[in-house]
Amino acid sequence: MTLRMKTKRTALTALTALLLSGPAFADTTLTFLVDNNADSVAAAEALAKAYAEKNPDVTVEVEQRPGGGDGDNIVKTRLATGEMTDVFLYNSGSLLQALKPETALLDLSDLPSQAKIADGFKAVVSAGGKVYGVPAGTTMAGGIFYNRKIYAELGLTPPTTWAEFMANNEKIKAAGKVAVAQTYRDTWTSQLFVLADYYNLQAQVPNFATDYTANKAKYATTPAALKGFERLQDVHDKDLLNEDFGAGTYDDGLRMVATGEAAHYPMLSFAIGALKQNYPDEIADVGFFAQPGDDAAKNGLTVWMPPAVYIPKTTTQAEEARKFADFVGSVEGCKAMMAVNTVQGPSLVEGCDLPADVPPAITDMLPYFESGKTAPALEFLSPIKGPALEQITVEVGSGMRPAAEAAALYDEDVRKQAKQLGIPNW
């Protein structure tokens, strides 16, 4: 073999190696940002694993961020600076509108999975007639988790009025137990008594959401709206809380209600996933009821849509990111999440049925849905939610600010947000 032939063969071998190692043959890595709640992380990792099994050349790397206001700021900053991951998990409803989806996110209206996603969900991840997200979970509700063993021990029944709830709390306190767990170190958890009261507000003032959005109704001047702040103040003033409520975390609250350290924990039902992950032996001891109002005949449940998966316009891997988002919104993706996170309510994906062995907290929720006694949370009926609510509710729940003053302060926070969003009449 001549030197010339050897040189050609060596060059050909090198070229082949270069081509095989180039971009056309490289594996794809997608980055996926989620909040650091145990249920969100478990669902994200399950989706990443299931997608990689179908697409061996794709790796989905899950990144974590804090929840609450700190997490909101991270999402907004990363979108604004072009440093967002390829896909990310974030709220649906009014908080999405603050991200300015028409300029920041990719339109996902034409994903095949959208055909089986409930229209009610698509409405809360839309702007300008385009759909920007797919559901990452089932519907959920805001209300109060309770320890079933404590209720059985003290002969209590789930309340349907606030007066009954407070009477239960007094009996629990008299028995030497913590009546209501609060966890204000994670400030977002302080909002539940206000937000979960919306069914009761709407039952008394059916047009509140419309008037609120049009700057015709306020929390401070609508007695039924003020009630949520008053109820938060009520549980503090009656000395019903755990001593470390200011330092307690979300995880502490779940532990307390699961193990019987506390009888109640106001929370969104998405916590059922974290309870399953962290307290599988106690999950059957946890029940759930709607936040009670003034009238037992009008007792009902405030319902939240789940967060969604979105794609920023800054992604350099739009095609693969869209395929992953389509998987998240499919029956297969829905079931992958259900396999690790106990369902939080009815599914939003046609064909993704609830398993037969749901825990008692889910069973407790279903009658509200079956009877039609549910209402969407205000953030799904109005684009306006003031960003300072969680700080204001910490102050009320800690006894630092009275309910009426807090409601007026929140109205001012809402005014600023409405003007920032360009809502008419503000």
Side-chain angles (χ1 to χ4, degrees):
M1 181 180 294
T2 66
L3 178 62
R4 182 181 180 88
M5 290 177 64
K6 286 182 179 179
T7 302
K8 285 183 177 180
R9 184 169 296 177
T10 301
L12 181 61
T13 301
L15 178 61
T16 301
L18 178 63
L19 289 172
L20 288 174
S21 64
F25 297 92
D27 287 348
T28 299
T29 298
L30 289 177
T31 52
F32 182 16
L33 181 67
V34 305
D35 62 83
N36 59 6
N37 285 333
D39 46 346
S40 299
V41 174
E45 291 178 345
L47 288 167
K49 179 180 178 181
Y51 189 74
E53 288 174 353
K54 288 175 63 73
N55 303 274
D57 59 336
V58 179
T59 299
V60 180
E61 292 184 351
V62 177
E63 298 182 17
Q64 299 181 36
R65 62 167 176 82
D70 290 343
D72 287 345
N73 290 335
I74 288 172
V75 169
K76 291 172 184 176
T77 299
R78 293 186 69 168
L79 284 173
T81 58
E83 297 177 346
M84 180 51 77
T85 51
D86 297 304
V87 290
F88 67 99
L89 182 75
Y90 193 66
N91 302 70
S92 53
S94 63
L95 291 177
L96 167 64
Q97 301 305 317
L99 299 186
K100 300 180 180 178
E102 292 172 272
T103 58
L105 307 180
L106 290 185
D107 176 11
L108 304 183
S109 305
D110 61 348
L111 293 185
S113 61
Q114 296 286 8
K116 290 190 174 183
I117 294 173
D119 290 340
F121 180 80
K122 286 188 274 192
V124 301
V125 291
S126 294
K130 297 178 180 179
V131 182
Y132 291 93
V134 293
T138 62
T139 53
M140 54 187 164
I144 299 170
F145 285 106
Y146 73 98
N147 185 275
R148 299 172 75 206
K149 284 186 174 180
I150 291 178
Y151 263 55
E153 177 188 339
L154 300 180
L156 305 177
T157 57
T160 56
T161 67
W162 187 259
E164 291 173 356
F165 175 60
M166 293 302 285
N168 283 358
N169 285 328
E170 290 298 339
K171 292 176 182 176
I172 293 161
K173 179 182 174 182
K177 303 177 186 296
V178 174
V180 180
Q182 290 286 60
T183 53
Y184 296 159
R185 180 174 178 179
D186 288 327
T187 55
W188 64 270
T189 69
S190 68
Q191 303 172 86
L192 266 296
F193 277 128
V194 173
L195 300 180
D197 203 49
Y198 186 72
Y199 181 93
N200 300 319
L201 167 55
Q202 182 173 286
Q204 295 184 56
V205 189
N207 295 325
F208 181 81
T210 301
D211 290 343
Y212 166 82
T213 305
N215 196 19
K216 295 178 180 178
K218 306 290 184 184
Y219 272 88
T221 55
T222 305
L226 180 58
K227 282 284 179 69
F229 289 94
E230 292 174 336
R231 286 167 176 153
L232 179 58
Q233 181 178 336
D234 199 14
V235 295
H236 173 271
D237 290 353
K238 296 291 173 49
D239 194 25
L240 300 173
L241 309 181
N242 46 307
E243 290 184 358
D244 63 342
F245 65 83
T249 66
Y250 166 69
D251 291 332
D252 291 330
L254 296 184
R255 185 197 71 249
M256 293 177 75
V257 75
T259 62
E261 293 178 54
H264 301 113
Y265 186 41
M267 183 44 58
L268 292 165
S269 65
F270 70 60
I272 294 172
L275 286 167
K276 180 184 178 182
Q277 291 287 321
N278 299 331
Y279 304 99
D281 295 335
E282 289 85 15
I283 194 168
D285 298 331
V286 181
F288 187 87
F289 55 82
Q291 179 162 315
D294 293 329
D295 185 351
K298 295 181 178 179
N299 182 231
L301 191 63
T302 304
V303 176
W304 270 255
M305 292 295 181
V309 165
Y310 305 99
I311 303 174
K313 285 186 177 179
T314 52
T315 180
T316 59
Q317 302 188 96
E319 182 178 355
E320 197 62 54
R322 283 170 54 84
K323 290 178 182 178
F324 177 70
D326 190 49
F327 174 76
V328 174
S330 69
V331 172
E332 191 173 356
C334 174
K335 289 185 175 180
M337 287 182 278
M338 280 189 181
V340 294
N341 275 358
T342 304
V343 294
Q344 304 154 12
S347 170
L348 291 159
V349 179
E350 181 184 346
C352 186
D353 299 325
L354 301 187
D357 59 342
V358 294
I362 290 294
T363 304
D364 290 341
M365 289 169 51
L366 296 180
Y368 297 104
F369 286 95
E370 292 164 356
S371 65
K373 291 186 175 182
T374 64
L378 180 59
E379 64 196 71
F380 302 108
L381 300 172
S382 172
I384 311 168
K385 183 186 178 188
L389 179 60
E390 61 191 76
Q391 285 77 32
I392 295 170
T393 47
V394 164
E395 292 181 340
V396 178
S398 302
M400 295 185 288
R401 190 184 296 275
E405 183 182 317
L409 184 62
Y410 183 56
D411 285 335
E412 176 61 17
D413 187 45
V414 165
R415 184 190 67 80
K416 293 176 182 177
Q417 180 71 0
K419 290 183 73 68
Q420 184 176 341
L421 293 173
I423 306 297
N425 302 320
W426 288 84

